[in-house]
Amino acid sequence: MDWTIFLLTVLTLVLLGVLNVKKKFRYWKDRGVPYVKPVFPYGTLKGMGSTKHSSEVFQKAYNELKGKNAFGGIFFFIQPVILATDLNFLKNILVKDFQYFTDRFDYINERDDPLSAHLVALKGDKWKGIRTKVSPTFTSGKMKMMHSTIVAVAKEFQNYLEPHADSESDIEFKDVLARFTTDIFGTCALGIECNSLKDPNAEFRRIGERIFEFTNLDILKMFFLTAFPNFGRRFRMKINKPDVSEFFFRVLKDTIEYRETNNIKRNDLLMLLMQIMKTGKLEGDDTELGKITFKELTAQVYAFFVGGFETSSSTMTFALYELARHQDIQNRARDEILQVLSKYKGEYTYEACMEMKYLDRVINETLRRYPVVDVITRVCNQDYHVPDTSHVIEKGSIVAIPFYSIHNDPDIYPEPEKFNVDRFTEDNIKSRHPYAWMPFGEGPRVCVGMRFGMMQTRLGLAHVLGKYKVLLSSKTSVPVSMDPRKFFLSPTGGMWLKLEKL
């Protein structure tokens, strides 16, 4: 081997690589767009997943860029990314000009990782088709049908808390609430008794924990695969863990076979999806939706599980934390709950829960202060001229929309760190930009399970506040810090609180 030629080849490849990175990092400067200076190899993601939660990383970039333009420039590794900093621009992306930004920036490998092909991540016509088929399962009528089932689990949750109230022990609410919402999912979606409240090591709960067990390398891998999806698919790389995939396919297969063999019908999500899988429409509705495959059904159930149990449990966790810090707000919420219940003979009916308007303000302010999904993305599918500017967003460009940063912007919400439920009175809502609060997203890709999430959150909080007083404990971390290794917003070390019986 001629070592001189070999070394020259290596040096040439290294030089070409360096020049390519420098060219990538000049992307925003060459286009006259304000940007955050990148650091190789992380771009603007340095520290994320190790010392900083993604919300902190994006908020720093947002604060540096806002007010300079309709958007600014950041980098996912060496990939240029648009950071939305203007609410009107954001409205265009999500709604007005949605046809340019129909897809999310998520990694999908349907061949090797079929669970990745779920509604949240799907693109183009595939997304549109699944969305059309799944949306009818989350109407207000279907939610009302599931309401009594959630109430039954909520009563079990309320009873579970009783031995812990008035005791010297603290309660780690993040875990307890995740077990509560896991049981709701099992009952409402699959008709399965998960028993997570009774057994913290129940299989569904263990799988839920496995889904969100991320090392620093896992988080970087996730962003790498979304930035370079073709590379990932070529080398058959997966996002989901093999044991998680095996669990969902096994449970769904066994449950569907059992129902079909024994002719069992239940008013739950799986029944509705089975109807679509078998006939392409819902029973009692002549609308032709088109059939879905077993793999597609399983991927959607997986997405509902991830989105349903983690987001709602985190929202309730942060709500109870703030209510423990603000006893006046807690007392007023409780007074409303008890007053409404007295009107409905102590029953948590669907109508009763819909009348708990002050509790909704508590939830809305919690979602403002702690939006569980701190950032979402869109991909431009054709060149897009940004209105009232000379800028053109090129096809294939990625847009990041930082909900956490917007929700905690002092120019939109004065004293954003302050928990103030009056921000969500009707008058105050009307006085703000309509896109200043978007915990569920907005536009055609708004969260399909929004009603379900709000319903279980409302019922969970009502069952706690209706019977117990929530207090801070010596273990409560004030202010709360976010775990950098969690994908969703989650308190570091859990959330420790105390209860007193009323």
Side-chain angles (χ1 to χ4, degrees):
M1 175 183 287
D2 189 329
W3 286 101
T4 302
I5 294 176
F6 175 75
L7 289 173
L8 284 173
T9 302
V10 171
L11 288 172
T12 301
L13 291 173
V14 170
L15 180 60
L16 289 173
V18 170
L19 291 174
N20 181 56
V21 169
K22 285 189 173 182
K23 181 182 178 182
K24 285 278 191 178
F25 281 170
R26 285 201 311 268
Y27 184 88
W28 294 120
K29 184 178 181 180
D30 291 346
R31 287 157 179 75
V33 174
Y35 68 99
V36 177
K37 188 176 179 180
V39 176
F40 182 80
Y42 307 101
T44 22
L45 304 179
K46 186 177 181 181
M48 191 174 77
S50 55
T51 60
K52 300 176 182 177
H53 187 269
S54 58
S55 60
E56 186 180 351
V57 172
F58 282 100
Q59 187 171 35
K60 182 180 179 183
Y62 175 87
N63 290 340
E64 185 175 335
L65 296 171
K66 75 169 187 170
K68 296 181 180 180
N69 203 350
F71 60 89
I74 58 174
F75 294 86
F76 289 179
F77 302 103
I78 63 172
Q79 178 79 41
V81 173
I82 294 159
L83 186 69
T85 56
D86 176 81
L87 296 181
N88 288 320
F89 172 71
L90 189 151
K91 175 184 177 181
N92 291 340
I93 299 297
L94 294 178
V95 181
K96 187 177 177 182
D97 297 318
F98 174 76
Q99 68 271 22
Y100 290 88
F101 303 94
T102 56
D103 298 337
R104 287 172 57 105
F105 180 58
D106 288 307
Y107 178 68
I108 300 174
N109 184 351
E110 197 165 358
R111 177 189 61 185
D112 306 300
D113 188 8
L115 289 189
S116 67
H118 53 72
L119 184 61
V120 176
L122 285 171
K123 307 177 191 303
D125 291 339
K126 186 81 172 178
W127 163 77
K128 189 175 181 181
I130 294 292
R131 175 85 183 202
T132 300
K133 295 166 187 174
V134 168
S135 291
T137 66
F138 285 96
T139 62
S140 56
K142 298 296 189 297
M143 293 304 98
K144 193 171 182 179
M145 181 180 72
M146 298 180 192
H147 181 84
S148 59
T149 305
I150 299 179
V151 171
V153 180
K155 287 181 178 177
E156 288 183 17
F157 168 57
Q158 190 181 60
N159 293 334
Y160 167 85
L161 294 174
E162 188 164 0
H164 301 279
D166 294 332
S167 68
E168 294 300 317
S169 61
D170 301 323
I171 305 172
E172 204 287 271
F173 264 93
K174 180 67 177 70
D175 175 64
V176 172
L177 287 165
R179 287 153 58 188
F180 165 55
T181 51
T182 297
D183 284 354
I184 287 177
F185 170 83
T187 305
C188 287
L190 306 177
I192 294 174
E193 298 294 331
C194 294
N195 294 315
S196 298
L197 281 170
K198 297 175 182 176
D199 178 11
N201 295 313
E203 191 174 20
F204 257 101
R205 179 64 190 128
R206 285 193 292 104
I207 286 296
E209 290 177 323
R210 279 285 290 149
I211 291 170
F212 294 101
E213 284 178 356
F214 294 127
T215 64
N216 299 345
L217 186 61
D218 289 331
I219 293 172
L220 288 175
K221 173 188 172 184
M222 195 176 302
F223 270 84
F224 179 83
L225 289 177
T226 50
F228 306 103
N230 291 333
F231 176 92
R233 284 189 284 268
R234 181 178 179 182
F235 289 94
R236 308 182 81 113
M237 298 177 74
K238 304 175 183 179
I239 287 271
N240 294 293
K241 302 175 179 71
D243 56 327
V244 171
S245 295
E246 187 278 331
F247 170 81
F248 275 93
F249 279 106
R250 171 174 56 81
V251 167
L252 267 297
K253 179 177 178 292
D254 291 348
T255 304
I256 290 173
E257 286 181 354
Y258 181 78
R259 290 194 183 192
E260 290 178 340
T261 301
N262 296 279
N263 196 28
I264 292 173
K265 292 187 177 181
R266 294 179 59 103
N267 291 328
D268 57 20
L269 178 65
L270 181 58
M271 180 192 74
L272 300 174
L273 291 175
M274 285 173 63
Q275 289 172 8
I276 297 172
M277 183 175 72
K278 294 294 182 182
T279 67
K281 58 185 179 181
L282 294 173
E283 195 173 287
D285 189 340
D286 293 331
T287 305
E288 288 289 343
L289 300 171
K291 294 181 180 181
I292 58 175
T293 66
F294 173 68
K295 283 187 177 181
E296 288 172 336
L297 179 149
T298 304
Q300 307 328 308
V301 170
Y302 167 75
F304 299 150
F305 175 66
V306 172
F309 100 86
E310 180 65 21
T311 56
S312 294
S313 64
S314 293
T315 299
M316 285 186 278
T317 297
F318 288 121
L320 291 177
Y321 164 75
E322 291 291 355
L323 291 172
R325 294 181 65 215
H326 301 90
Q327 291 293 319
D328 56 331
I329 299 175
Q330 182 180 158
N331 290 336
R332 186 170 172 186
R334 180 181 297 107
D335 289 344
E336 178 192 64
I337 291 165
L338 296 177
Q339 183 180 357
V340 170
L341 287 177
S342 67
K343 178 180 174 182
Y344 288 89
K345 299 179 181 179
E347 297 295 325
Y348 288 87
T349 65
Y350 182 82
E351 291 74 19
C353 291
M354 296 304 290
E355 287 186 25
M356 297 177 184
K357 302 300 183 184
Y358 189 81
L359 183 60
D360 277 351
R361 283 160 59 184
V362 170
I363 296 170
N364 290 344
E365 173 65 353
T366 303
L367 290 168
R368 193 278 308 170
R369 183 71 180 92
Y370 309 100
V372 180
V373 179
D374 61 290
V375 62
I376 65 167
T377 57
R378 293 289 185 268
V379 178
C380 185
N381 56 38
Q382 54 184 306
D383 287 355
Y384 173 73
H385 183 270
V386 181
D388 304 319
T389 76
S390 59
H391 297 299
V392 173
I393 297 177
E394 297 175 337
K395 180 180 179 180
S397 297
I398 303 155
V399 181
I401 300 167
F403 291 159
Y404 182 91
S405 307
I406 293 166
H407 288 189
N408 287 277
D409 185 337
D411 293 330
I412 302 173
Y413 296 98
E415 299 181 280
E417 72 286 347
K418 183 179 179 181
F419 191 79
N420 178 9
V421 300
D422 289 339
R423 300 184 203 271
F424 290 91
T425 61
E426 287 188 17
D427 289 341
N428 283 335
I429 291 172
K430 290 177 183 177
S431 69
R432 279 193 303 272
H433 194 289
Y435 290 81
W437 184 82
M438 297 174 298
F440 300 101
E442 195 52 80
R445 290 197 79 132
V446 67
C447 175
V448 71
M450 176 175 60
R451 288 190 184 96
F452 186 85
M454 284 295 291
M455 184 166 67
Q456 67 176 343
T457 299
R458 193 182 292 119
L459 278 166
L461 291 176
H463 276 77
V464 174
L465 299 178
K467 193 171 182 179
Y468 307 104
K469 182 178 183 180
V470 187
L471 301 165
L472 298 176
S473 83
S474 59
K475 293 183 180 180
T476 311
S477 178
V478 181
V480 65
S481 63
M482 301 304 158
D483 190 335
R485 293 171 299 175
K486 300 293 185 182
F487 180 74
F488 293 132
L489 225 59
S490 183
T492 304
M495 180 61 68
W496 295 90
L497 300 168
K498 295 180 74 71
L499 290 181
E500 284 183 3
K501 293 178 186 175
L502 296 180

